[in-house]
Amino acid sequence: MLEPPELPYKKVGSGKVREIYDLGPNLLIVASDRLSAFDVILSRGVPGKGILLTQLSLWWFQQTKSVMQNHLAADHDRQLEEVIGKYPDLLPRSMLVRKLTPLKLEAVVRGYLAGSGWSEYKKTGKLWDHELPAGLLESSALPQPLFTPTTKAETGHDMPVTANEAKEIVGADVFDAAREATLKLYDLGAQKATQSGLILADTKFEFGTDASGDLYLIDEVLTPDSSRYWPQEGYAPGKPQPAFDKQYVRDYLETLDWDKTHPGPELPTSVITNTQKKYIEALEYLMK
């Protein structure tokens, strides 16, 4: 499902994956099967992806309640049924959430050197404003997980920011609270991943505040769309690791003559199918 059917609610947002509707005190979020890479929505999606991401996020919201309050509406399942029960196909891909003000930061946490973190380390020997030992390899475990926030861009790419820059964006108190929550959430996710035979290399969280300034966990949580999971079996620093995230799609796209601007190339069926398998495999690992 690339586009949900018309609903009798006011649409207030349309993201790369999700459609957002205003229901008065709450928002209805419906996850499509759209797939984006390099900030471009591709013409073909991954069947069932929206259901998988929604259900995994709902499961993680339950797991993380002891660490951080989240944006789910009170009595969530009953209220969601009342709101969208006439559209049974949408139920497993929908969430009903409180209206909050999202922070203008992506709360990124890294436990291993990979992706843009590895690129930064090769250039500078650091992770932005974090000093690191010399001689680390690609996919090496970091001495401790590091909070490396980025901007939350309306368009274009999110950009890394230093702690001081992030404090200027959201305020020092909110920054400190978000950093503490991010590291605790990563620790919980990493422990669960380890128990499931996975490595949680890095992930990102999003937070929002209510009218009183209280912080909530929002959006999606520890899904293959927002996290880099590797299998423990065969893990060895010094090279890229097989992943259960969109890296498979990115790797394919990097082989093409494409400038990473809209419109993106059409993915072949084999890439769609293999991407779907990777998402399902990650779910199966975590639900062991």
Side-chain angles (χ1 to χ4, degrees):
M1 181 182 292
L2 296 182
E3 298 293 337
E6 289 293 323
L7 297 176
Y9 307 118
K10 179 182 178 181
K11 185 185 288 190
V12 293
S14 183
K16 294 172 187 172
V17 175
R18 294 166 182 80
E19 304 296 329
I20 306 173
Y21 303 85
D22 191 334
L23 273 70
N26 296 315
L27 296 173
L28 173 66
I29 300 178
V30 181
S32 72
D33 293 335
R34 294 193 293 266
L35 182 65
S36 69
F38 304 110
D39 294 315
V40 174
I41 299 173
L42 304 176
S43 60
R44 299 186 68 183
V46 176
K49 172 174 170 281
I51 294 174
L52 185 151
L53 296 183
T54 299
Q55 294 305 308
L56 187 54
S57 285
L58 289 171
W59 183 80
W60 275 116
F61 279 131
Q62 290 298 317
Q63 305 301 308
T64 57
K65 283 194 302 185
S66 61
V67 173
M68 187 73 186
Q69 60 188 350
N70 61 63
H71 67 167
L72 293 182
D75 199 9
H76 176 268
D77 293 352
R78 181 190 61 79
Q79 285 209 68
L80 182 63
E81 174 71 34
E82 289 182 359
V83 165
I84 207 169
K86 294 180 181 179
Y87 307 88
D89 290 349
L90 298 186
L91 266 174
R93 60 175 71 241
S94 301
M95 287 191 288
L96 193 66
V97 304
R98 299 180 55 171
K99 284 184 176 178
L100 301 166
T101 302
L103 295 191
K104 294 181 179 180
L105 282 181
E106 297 272 7
V108 179
V109 57
R110 303 173 188 274
Y112 292 75
L113 269 181
S116 60
W118 169 238
S119 298
E120 176 70 12
Y121 178 76
K122 285 193 295 182
K123 288 189 296 184
T124 68
K126 304 191 298 182
L127 279 188
W128 298 283
D129 53 350
H130 295 282
E131 299 289 341
L132 289 178
L136 296 179
L137 305 175
E138 182 174 10
S139 305
S140 288
L142 299 173
Q144 67 276 325
L146 297 177
F147 182 51
T148 58
T150 71
T151 58
K152 185 172 173 56
E154 294 294 331
T155 59
H157 299 283
D158 300 330
M159 298 300 294
V161 290
T162 65
N164 287 336
E165 290 169 338
K167 289 176 183 179
E168 290 180 3
I169 295 172
V170 299
D173 290 345
V174 172
F175 171 83
D176 289 341
R179 177 175 58 186
E180 181 181 1
T182 296
L183 293 172
K184 287 182 178 178
L185 289 164
Y186 174 80
D187 184 61
L188 187 153
Q191 288 184 40
K192 175 58 181 174
T194 298
Q195 294 166 6
S196 302
L198 295 175
I199 294 169
L200 178 58
D202 53 54
T203 190
K204 68 174 182 178
F205 301 106
E206 293 198 40
F207 299 103
T209 56
D210 63 13
S212 300
D214 291 334
L215 203 63
Y216 292 78
L217 181 61
I218 67 171
D219 198 56
E220 62 180 308
V221 189
L222 293 164
T223 71
D225 252 21
S226 63
S227 312
R228 197 187 308 267
Y229 287 107
W230 298 330
Q232 290 177 15
E233 185 177 357
Y235 164 72
K239 60 181 181 179
Q241 309 299 308
F244 298 109
D245 56 19
K246 290 188 295 186
Q247 192 60 46
Y248 177 81
V249 175
R250 297 189 194 100
D251 289 345
Y252 167 77
L253 292 172
E254 290 282 16
T255 68
L256 305 180
D257 183 17
W258 175 47
D259 62 1
K260 299 183 178 65
T261 61
H262 181 81
E266 181 170 326
L267 296 178
T269 298
S270 60
V271 173
I272 295 290
T273 301
N274 287 330
T275 302
Q276 183 187 50
K277 288 179 180 177
K278 288 180 177 294
Y279 277 84
I280 293 172
E281 192 173 0
L283 182 67
E284 289 173 343
Y285 265 98
L286 290 168
M287 295 302 178
K288 284 179 180 178

